[in-house]
Amino acid sequence: MFVYIIRRLLQMIPVLLGVILVVFLIMQLVPGDPAVLLAGEGASAETVERIRHQLGLDQPLFIQYVQYVFDVVQGDFGTSLRSNLPVFKEIMIRLPITIELAVASIFITIVLGMLAGIVSATKQYTVSDITIMIIALLGVSLPSFCLGLSLIYFFSVKMHIFPVAGWGTWKHVVLPAITLGASGAAIVARMTRSTMLDVIRQDYIRTAKAKGLKLRIIIYKHALKNALIPVITVVGLQFGVLLGGTVLVESVFAINGLGRLIVDAIRMRDLPVVQGGVLVASMIFVLVNLAVDVLYRNFNKRIELD
């Protein structure tokens, strides 16, 4: 297991290098010159050129990329062009908010998704099954910003139960977490239903029923464990999707998380912040995938870790 984890961590290096390269090249296509934004529209050409030289923007793109990678290896993510603060410091201020939101959302995804999937599988072709699957289809199809605005309208504007925007208390977490976790819960529900239907048709489940075991024990002790492996895969992927989805949800609910930081940085062409934010999010996504692979082994000892 230890050797496998080390090997996977080493495999992260080319992935992260590729992420940096893609973001770096995309940012070069964004209109606007960071030096002009810093100097101001009325600045002279000499001033703009001096700022470009200070920022290293007059260097070839390959040199800029290599220099950035060299700095990151030393723990230096650069300095924000907008705030003149270290990028790593800005990310660490915003990252805990995004992680809190993602964890709350994945909790909703797991609990609602798995419960709905189990109920749907055990009551196949009933009204409950059909209703749950219709709701799941709506959850997958409905855009997060549309759901978020609807929740704000009903629960904040009309009913005054939750705050409209901001962050700080548990009430601020509820609506964004539901908005972010709804689509994931729908996907997990459909996957749980599918895998549970396959498992409960196995011979050992029929044997357990013939022995007179209670249905609750059969489902939660025998069937669910064997049905969890594909669900774990979906949950792990959904956590990465949640990290990316916070960009839109944080904008809707005015949450100062990592997603909103990246959006503001793109708007201002603050390349160091964009690269640092995407790099950190990518590292978290890769580590979550590694954790999912390790969980495979814990749930099924017969699985070999390649």
Side-chain angles (χ1 to χ4, degrees):
M1 178 69 72
F2 177 77
V3 174
Y4 172 77
I5 293 175
I6 295 298
R7 186 167 66 246
R8 286 292 301 272
L9 291 175
L10 291 176
Q11 291 174 355
M12 287 175 56
I13 297 176
V15 173
L16 296 178
L17 289 176
V19 169
I20 296 174
L21 178 60
V22 171
V23 175
F24 183 83
L25 294 177
I26 291 177
M27 287 302 296
Q28 302 304 317
L29 302 176
V30 177
D33 188 341
V36 174
L37 294 175
L38 288 175
E41 293 184 2
S44 62
E46 292 78 8
T47 302
V48 173
E49 191 60 33
R50 184 174 67 253
I51 294 177
R52 287 181 56 82
H53 179 72
Q54 292 174 351
L55 298 176
L57 299 177
D58 56 347
Q59 298 289 332
L61 293 181
F62 176 76
I63 300 299
Q64 295 182 44
Y65 172 75
V66 172
Q67 183 62 49
Y68 180 76
V69 172
F70 182 75
D71 292 339
V72 168
V73 171
Q74 300 180 81
D76 181 11
F77 284 73
T79 303
S80 172
L81 305 180
R82 178 183 46 167
S83 64
N84 204 32
L85 293 174
V87 171
F88 188 76
K89 182 178 180 180
E90 286 210 16
I91 291 175
M92 288 300 104
I93 293 174
R94 305 286 192 97
L95 183 60
I97 297 175
T98 297
I99 291 179
E100 287 179 23
L101 177 57
V103 170
S105 302
I106 202 67
F107 177 78
I108 291 175
T109 294
I110 294 172
V111 173
L112 292 184
M114 291 188 62
L115 286 177
I118 292 171
V119 171
S120 183
T122 54
K123 299 182 181 297
Q124 188 181 16
Y125 301 135
T126 63
V127 175
S128 299
D129 179 26
I130 296 173
T131 303
I132 289 174
M133 287 299 100
I134 291 176
I135 295 175
L137 180 61
L138 291 175
V140 174
S141 306
L142 193 64
S144 59
F145 72 88
C146 182
L147 177 59
L149 292 175
S150 300
L151 292 176
I152 290 174
Y153 178 75
F154 286 108
F155 292 100
S156 299
V157 178
K158 289 293 185 181
M159 303 176 67
H160 305 286
I161 298 177
F162 300 107
V164 175
W167 195 261
T169 66
W170 67 270
K171 287 188 176 182
H172 291 94
V173 181
V174 176
L175 295 186
I178 293 175
T179 302
L180 201 55
S183 62
I187 295 173
V188 171
R190 294 169 67 88
M191 177 60 71
T192 303
R193 179 183 184 272
S194 176
T195 55
M196 283 293 295
L197 286 175
D198 289 338
V199 171
I200 61 180
R201 291 167 180 163
Q202 300 296 321
D203 291 338
Y204 72 92
I205 297 295
R206 284 194 288 267
T207 302
K209 290 179 179 179
K211 289 182 177 180
L213 292 179
K214 294 181 179 180
L215 180 62
R216 180 169 52 108
I217 296 177
I218 294 174
I219 294 299
Y220 290 99
K221 187 175 180 180
H222 298 283
L224 184 58
K225 184 177 180 179
N226 292 324
L228 272 181
I229 293 179
V231 177
I232 291 174
T233 305
V234 174
V235 171
L237 294 175
Q238 281 301 307
F239 190 81
V241 173
L242 290 178
L243 286 176
T246 57
V247 174
L248 186 58
V249 173
E250 286 176 2
S251 299
V252 171
F253 289 92
I255 300 173
N256 289 322
L258 181 61
R260 195 175 182 190
L261 175 67
I262 295 175
V263 171
D264 293 340
I266 293 174
R267 187 180 301 115
M268 297 296 296
R269 261 193 130 252
D270 195 344
L271 181 59
V273 173
V274 176
Q275 288 179 323
V278 174
L279 180 60
V280 169
S282 301
M283 289 177 63
I284 295 174
F285 181 71
V286 173
L287 290 174
V288 168
N289 282 335
L290 174 59
V292 169
D293 290 342
V294 174
L295 281 175
Y296 285 163
R297 178 67 174 176
N298 291 332
F299 276 94
N300 192 338
K301 302 297 182 181
R302 293 173 297 178
I303 295 178
E304 295 294 333
L305 296 177
D306 295 329

